[in-house]
Amino acid sequence: MAPSAGQPLSAVDREIASLLAAYRGHQLFQSVVTLMDSGGKRRRAEMVLAFAAAGEAPLDDAVGAAVVVEMLHAATLVHDDVIDCAGSRRGQTSANARLGNSAAVLGGDLLLALVSARAARIDSARQKQGDEVVGFALKVAQAMQRLVEGEALELQSAFDPGRSVGQYLAAIEGKTATLFALAAVAGLELGGGDAAATRYANGFALAYGKAFQITDDILDVVADPVAIGKPTLNDVREGVFTLPIILTAMKDPATRRVLGGRLVDTDVLREAVRHSRAIEESARYADDLLGRAERFADRLRHGELGAWCYGATGQLRCQLSESIESWRRSQPSSQNDVVRGIV
Ligand code: FPP
Ligand code: MG
């Protein structure tokens, strides 16, 4: 039976819980179990299921691939929190803050081991059943390689006040869009998608994934820390200069000088961002990428999947508008008319 695009994610959650059952109550791994239990938005799992539903993907394969993509996502977050020295994740104390870096790295490694085994099982089950083998485990390994490369690009640019928009876009394509591309392409191929459709799925997911990360990076500047479950302007504190900061620094030499020193006054920086309109400009970048994603979705020529893709881009546009709106509310009133209606 093929899963439908709107299918609940409960089968995915159940399988994740069962893969981790042996580690429940094990003190060293408790944080990663808790992280997986906390769910998150499961956006990547939803993407696998939606693209798998466009073909005739067997339900077990679709759910298995969604499990792999979600657990790989969680592993990258656990390792990312070690790299970023983050204190919280999804509103809870992060694994590294709770148990130290060594245990957190091992927890992320455990997730990676489970991911590799589950991915290989999808390929071997298809081989046994005489279904087309899509080389899912290889795709997962290649995605891991790109994730590492993307994160490495980010590290190389750390504390660089001259980081360019191009460098930023290359890093987020690797560290974030890659996983969405794995989700869409694997989902489609497990359902028998042809080469052209796979290219469009890849194009959709890469553009969507970059817009997703830009939205996250805008939120890092404008959001309420309680609402997003982590402190704001954390990226800057860690030396990660994201699109709103890069655009501000490009226009404002004083900001470049401030970023070049190690102590950044976040109130002064927020004011410079406000003055440069970098939030609105970043939102336009994201909006353009969402338009690009939608053009790829149109080329898929699949009504139900197209509608799902537009639902996903629409949701991100709403999130962007809300961020801009709350940012607008925090502006001095004389600037409101100009900022209104950007997205
Ligand atoms: C969160 O970004 C982190 C990522 C999107 C990817 C991190 C990738 C790695 C650590 C490479 C590891 C690779 C493997 C295969 C384990 P963010 O820091 O912008 O978001 P945040 O604010 O939620 O932390
Ligand atoms: Mg981080």
Side-chain angles (χ1 to χ4, degrees):
M1 184 182 64
S4 81
Q7 180 177 358
L9 294 165
S10 52
V12 175
D13 287 339
R14 272 199 306 278
E15 193 178 323
I16 290 175
S18 128
L19 285 174
L20 287 170
Y23 300 94
R24 219 165 262 284
H26 191 306
Q27 206 209 338
L28 198 69
F29 296 118
Q30 195 47 45
S31 281
V32 291
V33 173
T34 308
L35 179 70
M36 292 305 327
D37 284 348
S38 75
K41 295 183 275 297
R42 300 279 197 248
R43 290 253 171 88
R44 295 151 187 86
E46 269 181 12
M47 194 173 279
V48 176
L49 294 178
F51 277 80
E56 291 295 312
L59 185 56
D60 267 6
D61 293 355
V63 169
V67 165
V68 164
V69 171
E70 266 316 309
M71 288 181 78
L72 177 52
H73 172 51
T76 69
L77 294 182
V78 173
H79 284 180
D80 180 66
D81 285 344
V82 172
I83 293 170
D84 289 353
C85 307
S88 60
R89 170 67 61 187
R90 293 181 183 160
Q92 304 180 25
T93 308
S94 59
N96 50 304
R98 193 184 298 264
L99 301 168
N101 284 348
S102 307
V105 169
L106 267 185
D109 290 346
L110 171 69
L111 295 178
L112 291 177
L114 295 171
V115 157
S116 306
R118 184 64 183 97
R121 266 178 30 227
I122 291 179
D123 287 334
S124 57
R126 286 177 76 94
Q127 199 164 24
K128 273 194 205 125
Q129 281 155 18
D131 289 336
E132 193 197 348
V133 177
V134 299
F136 179 60
L138 175 62
K139 285 197 163 54
V140 171
Q142 288 166 335
M144 285 182 187
Q145 189 180 346
R146 283 194 294 274
L147 284 160
V148 172
E149 287 166 2
E151 187 74 0
L153 287 176
E154 184 136 296
L155 270 184
Q156 278 163 7
S157 298
F159 293 104
D160 176 6
R163 188 185 194 194
S164 68
V165 173
Q167 287 171 320
Y168 166 80
L169 290 174
I172 67 169
E173 177 160 325
K175 76 168 194 169
T176 305
T178 288
L179 214 40
F180 284 105
L182 174 68
V185 167
L188 201 74
E189 287 186 345
L190 289 168
D194 63 25
T198 300
R199 266 200 318 279
Y200 303 145
N202 190 53
F204 167 81
L206 285 179
Y208 173 85
K210 282 185 275 194
F212 184 91
Q213 185 63 50
I214 292 173
T215 306
D216 195 62
D217 292 340
I218 291 176
L219 281 176
D220 185 67
V221 182
V222 305
D224 169 5
V226 178
I228 60 167
K230 52 192 180 187
T232 51
L233 279 180
N234 210 33
D235 293 331
V236 171
R237 284 189 200 93
E238 297 306 330
V240 178
F241 303 149
T242 59
L243 189 58
I245 307 300
I246 292 169
L247 294 173
T248 305
M250 279 166 63
K251 288 185 188 157
D252 178 26
T255 297
R256 272 203 303 283
R257 277 196 299 279
V258 166
L259 295 176
R262 295 250 157 168
L263 273 181
V264 177
D265 180 328
T266 50
D267 289 337
V268 171
L269 182 60
R270 255 201 201 85
E271 192 45 43
V273 171
R274 190 191 316 284
H275 195 256
S276 67
R277 311 272 160 132
I279 293 296
E280 295 79 0
E281 202 179 334
S282 302
R284 276 195 292 269
Y285 269 91
D287 197 48
D288 287 350
L289 282 161
L290 290 173
R292 182 176 165 78
E294 284 161 356
R295 287 192 291 283
F296 277 114
D298 293 340
R299 296 174 82 175
L300 284 164
R301 293 187 182 283
H302 188 293
E304 209 180 322
L305 181 57
W308 184 89
C309 291
Y310 271 81
T313 54
Q315 203 178 12
L316 215 45
R317 275 209 176 83
C318 274
Q319 216 181 328
L320 271 170
S321 312
E322 281 166 17
S323 312
I324 293 292
E325 183 58 23
S326 74
W327 181 249
R328 185 187 72 74
R329 278 199 297 272
S330 68
Q331 306 279 311
S333 56
S334 61
Q335 293 183 16
N336 285 355
D337 288 342
V338 187
V339 176
R340 198 172 285 141
I342 289 285
V343 176

